[in-house]
Amino acid sequence: MVSSNNPSKHHKHKTSKSAKYEHKLKKIKLTARSEIDLFDWQKWKFYKKDYWIDPYVDTVPRIDYRYVSKKEFIDRFEAKNIPVVITHATDEWRAHKYWSTKFFRDNYGSNLFKVGDDDHNENVYMKMKYFLRYSHHEGLKDDSPLYIFDSGFDKNRLSKHKIKKSSGSKKKRRSLLDDYHIPRYFAEDFFKLTGNRRPPYKWLVMGGGRSGTGIHIDPLGTSAWNSLLKGHKRWCLFPPLTPKELYNPPTKPYDKEGISWFDQVFPKMKVKDASGKTLGERLGMLEVLQKPGETIFVPGGWPHVVINLDFTIAVTQNFCSSTNLEYVYLSTRYSRPKLGLKLYREIQKLGQKDHKYKDLAVSLESLKFTPRLPPSSSDSDSASSTSSSSSSNSNGDDRTTSMKRKKVSSTESETDQSDGTCMCKKCKLKRKKISRYSQ
């Protein structure tokens, strides 16, 4: 009796699947980071170096979410614009219990997640099962591995044949948004009032060691929180108004990825001067080793850089509260005039309806003729997906008017940096070309 199992056929099928994966990976790498040659992804051999830090260098205060009230958090940290790490904020989340590589492979293996954008500002997606395979194999040696930074992670993105196959199923999949809730410290967010003009503000972030984001300041003066569910992250933060040339100096021939910053710039922060102080100490640099279950609060205006030390899964959001509203409004009015006007009008309406918001409305009214807030952000227009926006919408009407003055957009995507850098298709493509030929 002839066995129905054919080893050669099985091997051929396995080989074809592997070839398909390798073909897709090459295409994604070339598309998402066209400035990097396929043979240069391991050029600097960063994987041979150790970027872990001792916990004792982390001097950022920590507070227990279970015992510290919202008022105390605002008074001690948000109002004073001081970073803090919050413990136990994720204890009750389903994500805290279930999110893992196995969870995402089993439940979202065929779903597409954003890992970058191409030279035409179109999103580049990768199936979760391919991303996890990459992260635990080729990504282990890439200098700055591909990284999921997706603002549309709650969408059910499936490949075309998977959509047809699942169309007959009546079972509705639980949204990833249901697996966590916004900590009470950050529940207030006035950007909700701006409707479809609101820039993307929430992201799923996932990636292996050495992936991360280059040095930058969060856009539009917003503050942010980042909850880490798996793995470890390393952060460096600088106080507002720190001279950009000191925390973000030229690093050519290296790129502007987070790992390049920690390899090339960070050692300079540890060099002592005649007084015995390091440059980092004089600048007020803060170092953080974020552990699973910890949430970091990053106040608006703080330049920061972060890398993953191992495979991490996190969620992060930007927000505008009563505490930072004035700063956000001034920043938005400069970078996104229409969005700033929408925010102003909605706050005025809120002040008329609800007496407790009357003071906020009056404060914005008093800022109507305040000179625009000058840009203070770093240049974070790295060509990589880790530093790029995670929006799926971009307005093609945005154009640069001249080299001296940029016309900023008022789109519903996060197309501009807080320093007014235009992130429209035309300008982004131009910067990518310059980056490619200047290296």
Side-chain angles (χ1 to χ4, degrees), residues 5-15:
N5 293 325
N6 188 331
S8 61
K9 186 176 180 180
H10 176 71
H11 177 72
K12 186 177 180 180
H13 176 68
K14 192 173 181 180
T15 303

Side-chain angles (χ1 to χ4, degrees), residues 59-77:
T59 57
V60 172
R62 277 167 169 74
I63 58 174
D64 193 321
Y65 185 74
R66 298 170 297 179
Y67 307 117
V68 177
S69 68
K70 181 176 180 178
K71 184 180 184 307
E72 184 180 351
F73 163 76
I74 293 173
D75 292 343
R76 289 176 56 190
F77 301 102

Side-chain angles (χ1 to χ4, degrees), residues 78-198:
E78 189 181 13
K80 295 179 180 178
N81 213 43
I82 298 174
V84 64
V85 174
I86 305 153
T87 61
H88 298 288
T90 67
D91 287 359
E92 304 302 319
W93 294 5
R94 275 179 54 87
H96 180 88
K97 182 178 181 181
Y98 294 110
W99 284 14
S100 64
T101 53
K102 184 179 186 305
F103 169 84
F104 279 97
R105 185 183 293 110
D106 292 348
N107 294 282
Y108 297 90
S110 295
N111 282 62
L112 299 169
F113 291 85
K114 183 179 176 182
V115 294
D117 47 22
D118 63 18
D119 289 342
H120 300 289
N121 205 28
E122 297 294 331
N123 294 338
V124 178
Y125 296 104
M126 191 174 192
K127 283 186 179 180
M128 177 60 73
K129 61 183 178 182
Y130 291 150
F131 175 77
L132 293 175
R133 178 175 174 178
Y134 161 78
S135 297
H136 292 91
H137 292 87
E138 295 90 339
L140 294 175
K141 289 189 175 183
D142 283 350
D143 290 331
S144 181
L146 291 168
Y147 186 38
I148 289 177
F149 203 98
D150 194 344
S151 65
F153 64 92
D154 55 314
K155 299 175 183 176
N156 189 24
R157 301 194 200 101
L158 290 169
S159 57
K160 291 180 180 178
H161 74 280
K162 287 288 182 181
I163 291 175
K164 291 179 181 178
K165 190 180 291 187
S166 62
S167 60
S169 175
K170 294 181 180 179
K171 187 177 179 182
K172 189 175 181 180
R173 180 181 292 174
R174 183 186 183 95
S175 171
L176 287 171
L177 292 177
D178 296 330
D179 287 351
Y180 74 96
H181 57 264
I182 300 172
R184 64 179 181 273
Y185 300 162
F186 317 116
E188 183 181 61
D189 189 355
F190 291 117
F191 265 137
K192 292 176 182 177
L193 303 173
T194 60
N196 61 9
R197 282 198 176 278
R198 179 177 191 166

Side-chain angles (χ1 to χ4, degrees), residues 224-254:
W225 58 270
N226 181 303
S227 290
L228 183 60
L229 299 161
K230 301 295 178 185
H232 301 77
K233 289 179 180 285
R234 180 181 178 183
W235 299 70
C236 276
L237 306 95
F238 295 86
L241 303 182
T242 301
K244 179 182 173 181
E245 62 271 16
L246 295 180
Y247 69 76
N248 190 19
T251 55
K252 288 184 179 181
Y254 295 87

Side-chain angles (χ1 to χ4, degrees), residues 277-386:
K277 279 193 171 185
T278 65
L279 175 60
E281 289 172 331
R282 287 191 284 113
L283 295 178
M285 180 183 75
L286 299 178
E287 295 186 64
V288 178
L289 176 59
Q290 187 183 13
K291 307 177 193 69
E294 292 186 333
T295 299
I296 185 171
F297 164 64
V298 181
W302 279 72
H304 54 281
V305 56
V306 56
I307 57 168
N308 299 313
L309 296 173
D310 47 15
F311 189 83
T312 66
I313 304 174
V315 288
T316 183
Q317 292 194 189
N318 287 65
F319 66 95
C320 169
S321 66
S322 297
T323 308
N324 68 355
L325 177 60
E326 291 187 5
Y327 180 60
V328 170
Y329 169 64
L330 288 173
S331 300
T332 304
R333 194 181 67 182
Y334 162 69
S335 293
R336 304 273 190 83
K338 291 183 181 179
L339 178 62
L341 181 60
K342 177 71 172 177
L343 179 63
Y344 169 81
R345 287 175 175 170
E346 293 301 320
I347 294 295
Q348 297 307 310
K349 291 179 186 177
L350 196 61
Q352 292 172 5
K353 293 178 182 178
D354 193 331
H355 188 266
K356 70 177 183 179
Y357 294 111
K358 185 177 179 180
D359 289 343
L360 288 177
V362 171
S363 70
L364 289 201
E365 177 70 25
S366 68
L367 294 174
K368 281 186 70 174
F369 301 104
T370 300
R372 73 184 189 188
L373 194 66
S376 59
S377 168
S378 67
D379 226 343
S380 58
D381 37 309
S382 162
S384 121
S385 65
T386 61

